[in-house]
Amino acid sequence: MAGFVLASLSRTGAVLWVQDRTSAAEAGIPYPNALHRPIIRVRSRNAADALQAMEMGLSCSVLSAVVGEIWGEAPRVDFTATKRLALRAERSGVSCWILRRGASPGLSAARDRWAVESMPSVPSLWDDRAPGPPRWRADLFRTRGGRPGTWIATHDRTTDRLHLDAADGDGPAPRPAERAG
């Protein structure tokens, strides 16, 4: 999931990356060189503190994105909390992503809701034994701005772009504005 989000972020501006304690321990920290931009890391004690840090970050228009990782079934991550984040993101123009690991999809005010899972990488151009570019199966299961569907996502490091190719005949990929999560 983190790789998909990193590949989806715009190429300019700093990113605020907020993790609750369990997410940092279980998923590790994001690799800053993959972003090619400044990253501000915040490690919170719990989901409530993570949500507060995210909301404060969304008030800062110099950021390009705020990403929050929250582990498990945190009761604080409810419709009201996601609505507050969505409204703050729309007002500031800062992209907002919440990564939920070990949680079932609950009510959310997010414009787009993705379920993302890793896939085997494509073969490397230079060495058959080496991994190639990363791939994900990206299921856009709820959206307000387009049509749900499933795509195979790849990241092109040369252009620093995320490419979405139709899987199962789901048609064209959402426009970049529709991908913000």
Side-chain angles (χ1 to χ4, degrees):
M1 271 196 299
F4 178 79
V5 170
L6 288 170
S8 299
L9 296 176
S10 70
R11 293 196 254 174
T12 60
V15 174
L16 177 66
W17 197 287
V18 181
Q19 291 179 303
D20 67 5
R21 183 180 297 154
T22 308
S23 291
E26 294 291 332
I29 61 173
Y31 181 60
N33 291 346
L35 289 173
H36 306 293
R37 70 183 71 57
I39 182 170
I40 303 164
R41 283 195 53 242
V42 174
R43 185 171 170 184
S44 67
R45 289 180 307 201
N46 53 42
D49 291 347
L51 291 169
Q52 183 178 13
M54 289 177 68
E55 191 170 340
M56 291 172 67
L58 287 168
S59 299
C60 184
S61 60
V62 299
L63 293 173
S64 66
V66 172
V67 178
E69 287 186 74
I70 299 175
W71 195 276
E73 300 291 344
R76 297 282 186 153
V77 186
D78 59 8
F79 185 82
T80 302
T82 58
K83 182 70 172 180
R84 289 174 61 96
L85 292 173
L87 290 172
R88 186 75 59 136
E90 287 174 12
R91 204 168 25 246
S92 67
V94 176
S95 174
C96 181
W97 291 80
I98 299 177
L99 304 180
R100 301 289 313 277
R101 298 176 197 269
S104 59
L107 288 176
S108 174
R111 290 206 167 278
D112 295 327
R113 299 200 47 206
W114 294 88
V116 179
E117 57 187 49
S118 296
M119 294 181 63
S121 65
V122 295
S124 171
L125 295 174
W126 302 282
D127 184 351
D128 292 352
R129 297 167 291 159
R135 290 191 325 161
W136 304 272
R137 182 174 180 85
D139 179 26
L140 179 61
F141 63 94
R142 291 202 201 277
T143 181
R144 292 187 193 165
R147 201 178 85 176
T150 302
W151 293 271
I152 304 301
T154 55
H155 180 245
D156 181 354
R157 289 184 184 151
T158 307
T159 61
D160 196 21
R161 292 258 188 223
L162 183 71
H163 297 283
L164 297 173
D165 295 317
D168 308 327
D170 277 332
R175 293 185 311 269
E178 294 171 348
R179 280 191 263 155

